[in-house]
Amino acid sequence: VALPSTSSRMIDVQSRMTERALELLSLPEGQPCYLLDIGCGTGLSGDYLSDEGHYWVGMDISPAMLDAALDREIQGDVLLGDMGQGIPFKPGSFDGCISISAVQWLCNANKKSEVPTKRLYCFFSFLYSVLVRGARAVLQLYPENPEQLELITTQATRAGFTGGVVVDYPNSAKAKKFYLCLFSGPSAPLPKGLSESENREEATESTFTKDRALHRLVRRGVVKKSREWVLEKKARRRRQGKEVRPDTQYTGRKRGPHF
């Protein structure tokens, strides 16, 4: 019985981290961009990117995860690959990159032939190449310790990136999040991390959710799941050549409860 709620909580957490990563990317306002999602899994982050009007390609090492993504009829494209062996795209292919909870795995050596330092450098070198010059990469990660975080940032710097680590809610064991913000062009001021209010954590979470919804309303002018949102999503799928049901007077209308 607990499985659906656990699953929905995971989806909510993933969506929040993706939203924060997208915010830190600082993409041009109201302009669809072509983004790379490293360690895309079943495409949960990609769903959020699509909802925000962006096009994306996801890369993951797990065939099972990518099969699940395709079963969910995600709107992006997916690619099976090991990020530690490079990213097989032409230079300057992407306007930005996000990654949620994936990059720290490069610090683990699953075989004797795998050297974490080399795999990290390979990943960051290819990432630097495939980004449009001046674009950003925002990688949310869970470092095991300060040494691991230093290993990751050192290899990113070696590959040509500037930037640093943004820490949200640094004093909260539960809500603390690390985002590695990388710039592929001239160095820019590092965004500030979010901090806790003086209220308890539940209040902080609800305040953040409210601000987020307001921010989206102002930025997009479209409320999620509204008729306008549904029509926009269907139009986007048509442009991608996908089969979509015709629009009717009932499109986007809320259905009553089922008995």
Side-chain angles (χ1 to χ4, degrees), residues 234-252:
K234 288 175 77 173
R236 190 160 64 244
R237 288 178 74 88
R238 287 192 191 100
R239 286 197 298 273
Q240 292 173 345
K242 296 183 179 178
E243 196 172 321
V244 181
R245 288 184 180 180
D247 299 333
T248 70
Q249 63 187 33
Y250 301 108
T251 300

Side-chain angles (χ1 to χ4, degrees), residues 14-179:
Q14 183 92 2
S15 295
R16 287 188 189 199
M17 291 192 291
T18 305
E19 176 169 18
R20 178 64 171 143
L22 199 55
E23 183 183 307
L24 292 169
L25 272 185
S26 292
L27 297 170
E29 201 70 33
Q31 184 179 316
C33 293
Y34 192 47
L35 305 176
L36 176 63
D37 181 5
I38 294 290
C40 64
T42 60
L44 293 177
S45 294
D47 287 344
Y48 187 86
L49 298 179
S50 295
D51 289 347
E52 291 296 299
H54 300 296
Y55 302 98
W56 59 277
V57 174
M59 182 173 169
D60 203 281
I61 198 171
S62 167
M65 288 282 200
L66 295 182
D67 284 344
L70 294 172
D71 287 343
R72 293 178 55 249
E73 297 186 346
I74 50 156
Q75 294 182 38
D77 297 312
V78 291
L79 168 76
L80 181 66
D82 175 1
M83 58 181 164
Q85 294 182 354
I87 303 169
F89 288 93
K90 291 179 181 178
S93 293
F94 296 99
D95 301 312
C97 170
I98 67 159
S99 178
I100 306 298
S101 315
V103 174
Q104 72 273 0
W105 296 110
L106 287 173
C107 297
N108 300 339
N110 299 317
K111 305 173 191 169
K112 280 188 177 180
S113 59
E114 291 183 353
V115 181
T117 307
K118 288 183 178 177
R119 285 170 58 75
L120 281 162
Y121 180 68
C122 179
F123 165 65
F124 284 119
S125 297
F126 273 89
L127 181 58
Y128 190 88
S129 170
V130 301
L131 290 174
V132 170
R133 202 53 58 240
R136 295 184 182 190
V138 177
L139 317 173
Q140 184 276 329
L141 65 161
Y142 292 106
E144 282 184 9
N145 48 49
E147 291 76 25
Q148 194 177 85
L149 189 58
E150 187 177 349
L151 173 66
I152 292 168
T153 53
T154 299
Q155 298 312 311
T157 305
R158 269 190 69 206
F161 284 108
T162 57
V165 179
V166 174
V167 184
D168 285 354
Y169 309 114
N171 301 318
S172 168
K174 201 173 175 184
K176 188 176 184 179
K177 295 287 182 295
F178 292 86
Y179 294 87

Side-chain angles (χ1 to χ4, degrees), residues 199-225:
N199 299 329
R200 55 201 176 93
E201 192 169 311
E202 291 82 19
T204 303
E205 284 195 3
S206 61
T207 305
F208 178 57
T209 306
K210 186 179 175 187
D211 289 348
R212 193 179 72 206
L214 277 172
H215 177 65
R216 188 179 302 158
L217 284 173
V218 171
R219 190 181 60 201
R220 302 279 321 280
V222 177
V223 181
K224 191 169 183 179
K225 304 295 183 187

